[in-house]
Amino acid sequence: EIMPSLVGSEMCIRDRLRTALAEKGRCDLPGVLLAAAECAPLAKTGGLADVVGTLPKSLAALGFDARIITPYHRVIKEKYAAQVTHLTDFYIDLGWRHQYVGIERLLLDGIVIYLVDNEFYFGDRIYLGGEAEGEQYAFFARAILEALPRLDFTPEVLHCNDWHTAVLPMLMKTQYTGRMQSRMQTLLTIHNIAYQGKFSFEFVQDLLGIDARYYTPEFMELNGCANLLKAGCVFADHINTVSPSYAGEIRTAAYGEGLEGILNARQHQLSGILNGIDTAVFDPAHDSGITAPYSMDDMRGKAVCRAGISDGRHGEAGYRFVRDIDGYGQAKAVLDCIRYHHAAQLRQAKDCDPLAAIACIADNIAAAADRRQTGDETQFDRYLPLSPVFTHLNGEHPGHTLPPHALD
């Protein structure tokens, strides 16, 4: 109940925290454990990792003891193995599988990170895809629950992120009754509602032993599948997402991806907190990824950066990815930039050919141009930098021809 009020200055937040705690008859802040599939700077494929890597620092500044639990992915082991200490190890059952769980402890930038070690599940890619990924993160969920009593930390709040950890609240409330896990409060953050963790119920039941009575539309069934994100929406104590406006949008049929029903039913436990950035990491005064540094005190470097973009020093038409990665990756990068503005048309874009998916927005660009001619520029200007990218993609991949107006 405190989390949705975390807005405004740090002093204002501290005051509101003290007031909220006093109303509940307590003076201490709850310990928070964030559970997620990835965490920057250890392992990152998208914005989820940025949030998980940054939020504990902000919570710590407010006085919370906030820690992270994440898989000990190969990319982490390759870089940080010398810095971790072994905390504990044990075995868990995952259906017929009897699997090793190691818990390693890493202190990074003042934040404690627990790393769940298992070479079979985390010795390859961060996301294995398909049922292999379902098993990968079912293991992670069970490992977290069995690790909780063994940690050197007793959190009161478990913060789950996206479908990979969304099943945790359900398991805690249905399989751990009377144990310390069931006494924790749970928060589920939806970063990308298009990813829901959809599998056959038989598959999920085999892995996690979920009682068949929960395979109904009331709990986790959706369109003939066991939906792990829906299970989290049903059982989590609170749900939030990446902005107040998005919290409203996902309650509609256009943006809810089939979960608008449960999200409307739980609208009083649903909130949005606007995503920000880590200003220490994304600081143009010290960012090695830009042409020249600049700051509020000396803005000369910004003009140098702009010149670097316009003359192609950052890649074809000012996009580094156009030169540095292949056409598929270029198209996916463009989609990542614009998916938010076309969620209804592109909600399946991550599951199809991004080159083909880009063609889906050509009509929207043309329509935006038409609106510009009638004086409505609200949609057009955001597309101005994209046409050179389309031109490049069209030339490199003629099999994915874009409509002519996409190049105008």
Side-chain angles (χ1 to χ4, degrees):
E1 295 179 13
I2 294 172
M3 296 301 290
S5 67
L6 297 184
V7 293
S9 69
E10 185 172 309
M11 183 175 297
C12 175
I13 294 172
R14 288 180 182 274
D15 290 341
R16 297 184 71 173
L17 279 172
R18 281 194 289 266
T19 300
L21 288 168
E23 290 174 352
K24 294 183 175 297
R26 59 183 295 173
C27 59
D28 58 323
L29 293 171
V32 180
L33 182 64
L34 287 84
E38 55 183 276
C39 168
L42 305 183
K44 175 181 173 179
T45 67
L48 166 63
D50 288 324
V51 174
V52 175
T54 304
L55 181 57
K57 299 175 186 177
S58 298
L59 292 175
L62 296 172
F64 288 89
D65 186 352
R67 308 186 184 190
I68 301 166
I69 189 163
T70 193
Y72 196 10
H73 293 296
R74 181 187 63 188
V75 293
I76 304 175
K77 195 171 292 187
E78 290 172 349
K79 186 174 181 180
Y80 294 93
Q83 300 178 43
V84 307
T85 57
H86 183 70
L87 186 62
T88 187
D89 57 79
F90 52 92
Y91 281 81
I92 63 171
D93 292 323
L94 202 67
W96 54 266
R97 311 151 191 82
H98 194 60
Q99 293 284 11
Y100 168 85
V101 180
I103 304 296
E104 312 299 318
R105 190 180 191 272
L106 173 66
L107 183 64
L108 189 67
D109 297 332
I111 301 299
V112 174
I113 303 173
Y114 300 105
L115 300 166
V116 177
D117 188 21
N118 180 286
E119 194 66 19
F120 179 76
Y121 291 115
F122 304 127
D124 194 356
R125 292 168 292 158
I126 295 175
Y127 302 110
L128 297 177
E131 288 193 345
E133 186 174 323
E135 182 176 336
Q136 182 185 23
Y137 286 97
F139 167 83
F140 182 50
R142 184 66 74 192
I144 290 173
L145 291 171
E146 294 301 319
L148 284 170
R150 298 173 166 91
L151 299 180
D152 55 351
F153 171 58
T154 305
E156 294 180 58
V157 177
L158 182 63
H159 181 182
C160 308
N161 292 272
D162 278 347
W163 77 260
H164 302 92
T165 52
V167 76
L168 284 166
M170 178 182 191
L171 297 177
M172 293 162 71
K173 291 182 177 179
T174 62
Q175 297 183 358
Y176 288 81
T177 304
R179 299 169 62 180
M180 62 87 68
Q181 294 91 332
S182 68
R183 294 190 290 272
M184 297 173 63
Q185 296 291 294
T186 55
L187 167 67
L188 172 63
T189 296
I190 300 173
H191 300 264
N192 189 337
I193 199 168
Y195 288 156
Q196 299 182 6
K198 302 174 185 178
F199 304 97
S200 73
F201 179 72
E202 292 74 19
F203 175 76
V204 175
Q205 185 180 43
D206 171 61
L207 293 171
L208 295 171
I210 294 173
D211 194 300
R213 63 180 168 155
Y214 296 112
Y215 184 54
T216 68
E218 183 182 0
F219 296 110
M220 69 183 306
E221 187 275 335
L222 183 66
N223 298 328
C225 294
N227 187 309
L228 300 185
L229 186 60
K230 179 179 180 179
C233 292
V234 171
F235 284 93
D237 294 302
H238 194 88
I239 308 163
N240 75 354
T241 189
V242 296
S243 75
S245 60
Y246 191 56
E249 289 171 358
I250 61 176
R251 290 170 49 210
T252 68
Y255 296 95
E257 299 289 347
L259 296 179
E260 60 273 9
I262 181 59
L263 292 173
N264 274 296
R266 301 212 60 199
Q267 61 182 286
H268 299 298
Q269 292 84 41
L270 170 65
S271 60
I273 301 176
L274 186 63
N275 265 356
I277 63 169
D278 186 334
T279 54
V281 174
F282 299 100
D283 179 3
H286 305 97
D287 190 343
S288 61
I290 60 177
T291 303
Y294 62 91
S295 67
M296 289 294 293
D297 297 325
D298 184 357
M299 297 291 287
R300 288 174 295 179
K302 188 169 185 179
V304 177
C305 291
R306 185 179 293 113
I309 291 175
S310 63
D311 68 16
R313 273 181 275 165
H314 277 309
E316 178 77 16
Y319 287 88
R320 257 177 292 179
F321 58 80
V322 172
R323 181 180 60 192
D324 296 341
I325 61 178
D326 64 16
Y328 183 95
Q330 296 158 23
K332 187 176 184 301
V334 174
L335 286 178
D336 287 342
C337 292
I338 60 179
R339 181 175 290 107
Y340 177 79
H341 301 291
H342 294 277
Q345 296 92 333
L346 297 177
R347 64 171 63 116
Q348 301 301 328
K350 288 190 176 181
D351 300 319
C352 69
D353 181 355
L355 288 165
I358 279 188
C360 296
I361 66 165
D363 288 335
N364 297 82
I365 296 174
D370 291 341
R371 285 195 294 273
R372 186 175 190 243
Q373 293 172 1
T374 62
D376 179 5
E377 302 187 9
T378 57
Q379 297 291 321
F380 182 77
D381 288 343
R382 65 167 58 102
Y383 297 117
L384 290 178
L386 297 179
S387 59
V389 179
F390 293 152
T391 302
H392 174 82
L393 293 175
N394 212 40
E396 292 292 319
H397 304 276
H400 296 276
T401 302
L402 298 168
H405 55 245
L407 309 179
D408 293 341

